[in-house]
Amino acid sequence: MLRFNRFLAILMTVVMVGAMLPLEAKTRKGDKFLAEGRAHEDKKEWDAALQDYERALSEDPGDLNYQMAAQKARFEASSWHVTRGNSVRAQGQLGEALLEFQKAYAMNPASTLAQQEIIRTQQMIERERRRVEQTGAEAPAEVRGLTPSEVANKETEDRINRLLPVPELRPLKPILQDFKIISQTPKVLFDTLALNAGINVLYDPEYLTAGPKEKQTVAFNNSTVEEALNYLSLLTKSYWKAINANTIFVTMDNANKRRDYEDEVTKIFFLRNIASNPDLTAIVTAVRTVADLQRLFPFEGQWAIIAKGTADKVALAEKIIHDLDKPKSEVVVDIFVMEASSVYMRSLAAGPFSTGVNLQGTFTPRTSLQGQDATTGTASTTTSTSTSSTTSGTGTGSSTTGSSIPFSHIGQVNAGDWSTTLPGAVFQATLSDTRTKVLQAPQLRSVDGAKSTMKIGEKEPTASGSFANTSGSIGGGVSPLVNTQFTYLDVGVNVEILPHVHENGDISMHIDLDISSVTGQVNLGGINEPIIGQRKIGQDIRLREGEVNLIGGLLSTQDNKTKTGVPGLANVPLLGRLFSGNSVDRERDEIMIALVPHVVRRPDITPENVRAIGSGPTGTVTVHRSPLPPPEVLPPPAAENPAPAGGAGSDNAAGKAAAQPVPLPSVPVPVPVNLTPIPMAAPPLQPNAQPAPQPIPLTPPPPVPAAVPQGSLPPATAPPEAGEAPVVAPAAKPPAPAAANGPVKIHFTEDSLTKSVGETFTVNINVDNARDVISAPFTLQYDPKLLSLDNVVAGKFWSGDGEEPLLIKNVQNESGMASIRLSRKPGSSAVAGTGNLLTLTLKALAPGTATLSAINITLANVQTQMVGSGSPRLSITIK
């Protein structure tokens, strides 16, 4: 009964305590929803998980497990809808994206991100609504999906992409063949060269008044236009720069003019192989010094260099950075540490005296020799041993134990008072042979010029010092609180390598190799210190790639022979074996260290990296580039009208021009050597003869209208659209009374033609109201798959006075392009009026619609001024 009462009391206590604690809600239906929600959560189905958690929470709103699960699912579901909203919005589906963001906000009203995305999407929808009202059509999906910030970023990128580099000259005729000008001023030299190359020239007004006036004679054969311009600049002390692809600006060459007109460029160089501040600083210093580029700044955050300077200086800096930004060589060194040790011990002994005679006598006196105590008259008892004595006594007498006897009894000592221990018979034959081999083969990889360290082993503590607080000392002594400082030594294999790879593949290395081990302990001042055995090597070596080198070897041999026994008897033959013993100890310790280097990476130094480039005279940085690709690979000028599909502007026309220049005809063709308005008497030219220069009496050139400054070329005009009249540049006043009214017009005889496959036909290019024309260079473009140009013949416009013109042509049917130049012979007068410029013989190759385009036909007068231009086009339908 007592036990039952105790059990009942304990049970009631547990119940009362449990009632006082907050009980975890456990509803059967809520736990079911909780389990279902966790199953959806495992599958990342956050909407379904949140729904289940909300049901569980509705069963018991106070359950902490339900609350925590619902809160987590609410956050995750909201984030998922925000992510999905961003995805569908990027695809241009703004309405669906807005619904996703609204769902996210409804699930988690505390989500600021969802609220922001709702506002941003509403702004985008309003933007698209205004666009539809203004244009009547909605934007493409990729444009609709741009947020306001992305639109601003895109506009910024567009502005950056529209920034142009330094203009490069792209003349219509980049190669000059047998070009010669005799005794002309610098201005005439530049104008004549520009006319032949199909480019425009603008002059500094100060150059026309105070520039060089000395006449020069120049000749070029197989030279590019840029080479010719550079030569003229050097000869006339002039400075030229390209303004656009077909226009140059000429002024005097001095420091002030270069500062005023020389363009500067800004460029960022991203380094691909530099990953340390010293290397970045070294490159910046080298470029700043060699290229004379002062505005050069490193940016370590992206391992980049920002440069601003003239185009030539930045180009030279680009060359230097490109050549220096190479990956460093890398070396892998195989380290072999081989250690072998052997210990051989042998011991032989037989007989009772193998180690010699060593008999010890012990004094053990009899009791009668120990005497009596004088005071009490009692006898003292002495117990003697060979090493100690013990004395004990009382207040009236004493007892002595030991080997001491009274002096009066010395005479009674005899052999019975002494004892010894005789050795037993011994037979010993032992052998110990211990062999140990240790092989360590670590591998270390290092970059050229960078130290690499490898440590394999343990750290051994060793006391390096101690100090005590004397304030707590007792009686002025040493304080018991003594602090000892320890230093940890690296014990094992410690390697440091600093490699350098030479150009021929050899490897120089500075090596510090430390192989150490703990060989024992020593007690110093109450502290056990380790005894460290060390093998350390430091040296500089140079090896070939893959060469094995033994950088250290140590061979230690120790032989010990020991013989023990009874003197005299040990040397007796045969019998001496019973009275002697011998032992042999041999110890051999050998260590060998080998290194094998391997080059795993080397910088790719090409011939382009080591060749010298011209960088201009002292004090000025000037670089020169190789010629640009021939005009066959260049796109049509920007001012030209785009050709319709299948025409010359399509992929089947000049866009597939050959990359290699086609040489001019092998028969030498005379070219103008003097472009002066004064006719000269000269015999008729032979087909292959160059006219000899004749003295020319110079006369003032004809007056030029005020609208066109003398010596300058008006800008090239854009070609007219199909069906429109060409835009005509102002023409100079004709020197001859040629009757010509109206604007200059260059056109085909027909606007369109219809031909059959295989048919050969001719088309004419005519000019109306031309005045004072001396030359007309232009380029033809057509579809090489549909048309073939078989022949080009100069028209009657050039031979009105019976003098045949000069015709230079370069026809490339494989690329659908032909370069043609018509000009009057040297000494001939200019022509004017209306007539046929040239006749083209074509052949229809395949059915289709082809467009024949004459690009930038430029009529020039004797002052190299443009007096007319046009870009006519002819549509040919082939059936």
Side-chain angles (χ1 to χ4, degrees):
M1 189 65 182
L2 181 60
R3 293 180 179 178
F4 176 76
N5 292 336
R6 289 181 179 177
F7 172 76
L8 184 60
I10 293 173
L11 181 60
M12 293 179 63
T13 304
V14 171
V15 172
M16 294 178 61
V17 173
M20 298 174 60
L21 296 176
L23 292 180
E24 184 178 357
K26 291 294 181 181
T27 62
R28 190 171 182 180
K29 188 178 292 188
D31 289 345
K32 177 183 176 183
F33 292 144
L34 180 64
E36 293 176 355
R38 287 176 177 173
H40 290 298
E41 181 179 339
D42 293 338
K43 298 178 183 179
K44 305 300 179 182
E45 299 172 352
W46 295 109
D47 286 354
L50 178 60
Q51 184 177 3
D52 290 334
Y53 293 151
E54 293 287 352
R55 292 177 180 176
L57 195 60
S58 64
E59 295 293 331
D60 189 355
D63 190 283
L64 294 180
N65 290 332
Y66 299 165
Q67 294 177 3
M68 294 175 61
Q71 185 65 27
K72 177 183 177 182
R74 190 176 292 112
F75 174 80
E76 294 291 348
S78 176
S79 300
W80 184 86
H81 281 286
V82 169
T83 302
R84 173 169 171 76
N86 288 326
S87 177
V88 298
R89 187 176 63 186
Q91 300 173 6
Q93 303 174 14
L94 302 183
E96 184 177 350
L98 181 60
L99 293 177
E100 293 293 338
F101 295 137
Q102 290 174 344
K103 290 179 182 178
Y105 185 74
M107 292 178 178
N108 186 14
S111 176
T112 306
L113 180 61
Q115 184 179 6
Q116 293 174 348
E117 295 299 338
I118 290 174
I119 297 175
R120 185 178 292 115
T121 306
Q122 290 174 344
Q123 293 175 350
M124 295 169 63
I125 293 175
E126 182 63 26
R127 179 191 66 193
E128 295 305 315
R129 183 179 293 110
R130 291 195 302 267
R131 178 179 297 171
V132 172
E133 293 175 354
Q134 295 174 1
T135 62
E138 62 180 9
E142 60 272 11
V143 177
R144 294 197 307 270
L146 295 177
T147 64
S149 60
E150 290 174 344
V151 171
N153 293 336
K154 187 176 184 301
E155 292 175 353
T156 302
E157 291 180 359
D158 292 341
R159 288 194 298 269
I160 294 175
N161 293 333
R162 289 199 303 270
L163 295 177
L164 299 177
V166 175
E168 292 188 13
L169 194 62
R170 296 180 180 268
L172 294 178
K173 184 181 178 183
I175 305 297
L176 300 176
Q177 298 283 357
D178 298 327
F179 182 79
K180 187 175 183 181
I181 310 176
I182 301 175
S183 186
Q184 294 295 335
T185 61
K187 179 181 179 300
V188 176
L189 294 178
F190 278 105
D191 288 342
T192 306
L193 177 61
L195 178 62
N196 277 267
I199 60 177
N200 303 323
V201 185
L202 298 178
Y203 293 96
D204 183 6
E206 189 176 349
Y207 183 83
L208 298 177
T209 58
K213 304 297 183 182
E214 184 178 356
K215 295 182 179 181
Q216 304 286 348
T217 298
V218 296
F220 304 103
N221 184 24
N222 197 26
S223 299
T224 66
V225 173
E226 289 196 15
E227 290 173 347
L229 290 172
N230 292 333
Y231 177 76
L232 288 182
S233 300
L234 179 64
L235 190 65
T236 62
K237 297 181 180 180
S238 304
Y239 165 70
W240 74 274
K241 75 168 188 175
I243 297 179
N244 52 41
N246 63 348
T247 305
I248 65 172
F249 174 80
V250 180
T251 185
M252 294 174 289
D253 189 7
N254 54 57
N256 293 333
K257 292 297 183 180
R258 281 185 175 269
R259 184 179 61 251
D260 294 341
Y261 293 107
E262 194 168 16
D263 292 328
E264 288 193 348
V265 297
T266 302
K267 188 169 183 178
I268 301 177
F269 302 96
F270 290 95
L271 305 179
R272 297 174 296 176
N273 301 293
I274 302 301
S276 64
N277 291 335
D279 292 340
L280 179 62
T281 304
I283 290 182
V284 170
T285 303
V287 173
R288 182 180 289 122
T289 304
V290 176
D292 193 21
L293 194 59
Q294 300 304 318
R295 284 171 288 184
L296 195 70
F297 307 98
F299 181 67
E300 299 175 0
Q302 295 290 337
W303 299 112
I305 298 176
I306 306 172
K308 184 177 187 297
T310 62
D312 288 339
K313 290 183 178 180
V314 174
L316 181 58
E318 182 177 24
K319 162 70 174 172
I320 297 173
I321 293 174
H322 176 267
D323 293 343
L324 293 180
D325 185 19
K326 301 285 186 181
K328 289 186 176 182
S329 301
E330 293 188 34
V331 178
V332 170
V333 181
D334 291 323
I335 305 172
F336 298 95
V337 181
M338 294 165 283
E339 183 177 2
S341 62
S342 63
V343 179
Y344 178 84
M345 300 176 62
R346 188 197 67 184
S347 178
L348 295 177
F353 302 108
S354 60
T355 59
V357 179
N358 185 14
L359 298 178
Q360 294 183 356
T362 303
F363 182 58
T364 56
R366 294 163 292 165
T367 305
S368 59
L369 296 179
Q370 296 180 359
Q372 295 180 347
D373 188 276
T375 304
T376 61
T378 61
S380 61
T381 303
T382 302
T383 302
S384 175
T385 65
S386 60
T387 57
S388 62
S389 63
T390 304
T391 303
S392 62
T394 62
T396 60
S398 65
S399 174
T400 303
T401 301
S403 59
S404 61
I405 60 174
F407 280 101
S408 59
H409 295 174
I410 291 178
Q412 301 176 15
V413 175
N414 56 28
D417 297 322
W418 296 88
S419 62
T420 186
T421 302
L422 294 178
V426 174
F427 178 79
Q428 180 179 1
T430 60
L431 177 65
S432 175
D433 190 356
T434 304
R435 298 178 184 273
T436 304
K437 290 184 179 180
V438 178
L439 175 62
Q440 293 178 328
Q443 191 178 70
L444 187 60
R445 182 164 180 162
S446 179
V447 179
D448 190 351
K451 180 185 293 186
S452 294
T453 303
M454 181 180 64
K455 296 180 180 181
I456 302 175
E458 300 82 23
K459 284 183 175 291
E460 286 291 334
T462 178
S464 59
S466 61
F467 64 92
N469 186 4
T470 59
S471 62
S473 61
I474 301 173
V478 179
S479 172
L481 302 177
V482 178
N483 295 315
T484 303
Q485 297 175 341
F486 289 89
T487 300
Y488 288 87
L489 304 178
D490 294 314
V491 177
V493 179
N494 303 313
V495 183
E496 288 186 359
I497 295 180
L498 181 63
H500 171 64
V501 180
H502 298 274
E503 181 61 26
N504 62 353
D506 287 358
I507 306 166
S508 294
M509 292 186 293
H510 175 79
I511 300 174
D512 289 323
L513 181 61
D514 184 359
I515 302 175
S516 56
S517 61
V518 177
T519 59
Q521 298 283 335
V522 61
N523 189 286
L524 298 176
I527 299 177
N528 289 329
E529 297 285 349
I531 300 175
I532 298 176
Q534 189 178 53
R535 297 179 180 92
K536 188 173 184 179
I537 296 173
Q539 61 182 14
D540 293 299
I541 58 175
R542 177 166 176 165
L543 303 173
R544 293 189 300 273
E545 200 273 338
E547 180 181 359
V548 180
N549 182 64
L550 299 177
I551 65 171
L554 178 63
L555 177 62
S556 176
T557 302
Q558 182 178 356
D559 292 339
N560 295 325
K561 227 177 224 192
T562 305
K563 185 176 183 180
T564 60
V566 179
L569 295 178
N571 297 324
V572 176
L574 298 178
L575 187 61
R577 294 286 184 179
L578 300 176
F579 300 96
S580 65
N582 62 77
S583 63
V584 176
D585 296 341
R586 292 191 183 98
E587 294 184 8
R588 181 184 180 91
D589 193 3
E590 183 178 3
I591 183 171
M592 185 167 49
I593 304 167
L595 296 180
V596 184
H598 304 279
V599 179
V600 295
R601 176 177 293 171
R602 294 183 61 183
D604 184 17
I605 299 177
T606 63
E608 297 297 325
N609 301 139
V610 297
R611 70 181 180 92
I613 61 172
S615 55
T618 303
T620 303
V621 175
T622 304
V623 297
H624 303 281
R625 296 173 175 85
S626 59
L628 290 171
E632 287 77 14
V633 300
L634 300 179
E640 183 180 337
N641 289 330
S650 65
D651 292 341
N652 296 327
K656 294 186 177 179
Q660 299 296 330
V662 177
L664 292 177
S666 58
V667 179
V669 181
V671 296
V673 296
N674 192 3
L675 300 179
T676 57
I678 305 301
M680 68 177 182
L685 294 177
Q686 299 299 323
N688 297 327
Q690 178 76 20
Q694 300 292 334
I696 302 172
L698 298 176
T699 59
V704 180
V708 182
Q710 186 174 357
S712 63
L713 292 176
T717 58
E721 298 291 341
E724 293 182 357
V727 181
V728 181
K733 184 178 180 180
N741 298 319
V744 179
K745 182 179 180 181
I746 303 174
H747 59 91
F748 285 96
T749 304
E750 300 90 355
D751 293 333
S752 62
L753 292 174
T754 300
K755 300 295 178 182
S756 301
V757 175
E759 181 180 359
T760 301
F761 57 97
T762 59
V763 295
N764 296 321
I765 300 179
N766 301 330
V767 61
D768 299 335
N769 304 321
R771 305 175 183 89
D772 194 20
V773 179
I774 197 70
S775 64
F778 62 96
T779 301
L780 286 176
Q781 284 187 350
Y782 50 93
D783 192 342
K785 295 183 178 181
L786 303 179
L787 293 175
S788 173
L789 179 60
D790 294 343
N791 194 18
V792 180
V793 178
K796 294 183 179 180
F797 172 79
W798 300 97
S799 56
D801 55 357
E803 187 76 26
E804 292 295 329
L806 296 176
L807 173 62
I808 301 176
K809 59 183 179 179
N810 183 9
V811 179
Q812 303 176 33
N813 281 320
E814 66 277 2
S815 60
M817 180 171 286
S819 299
I820 301 173
R821 177 181 176 83
L822 288 165
S823 64
R824 298 282 287 172
K825 292 182 178 179
S828 300
S829 60
V831 293
T834 299
N836 174 237
L837 279 179
L838 78 164
T839 300
L840 307 175
T841 302
L842 302 167
K843 183 177 181 180
L845 301 179
T849 301
T851 300
L852 179 64
S853 302
I855 302 174
N856 286 345
I857 300 180
T858 303
L859 305 180
N861 60 13
V862 293
Q863 285 84 28
T864 68
Q865 296 175 341
M866 184 176 66
V867 296
S869 66
S871 297
R873 300 170 62 183
L874 174 62
S875 178
I876 303 174
T877 302
I878 304 174
K879 298 182 178 179

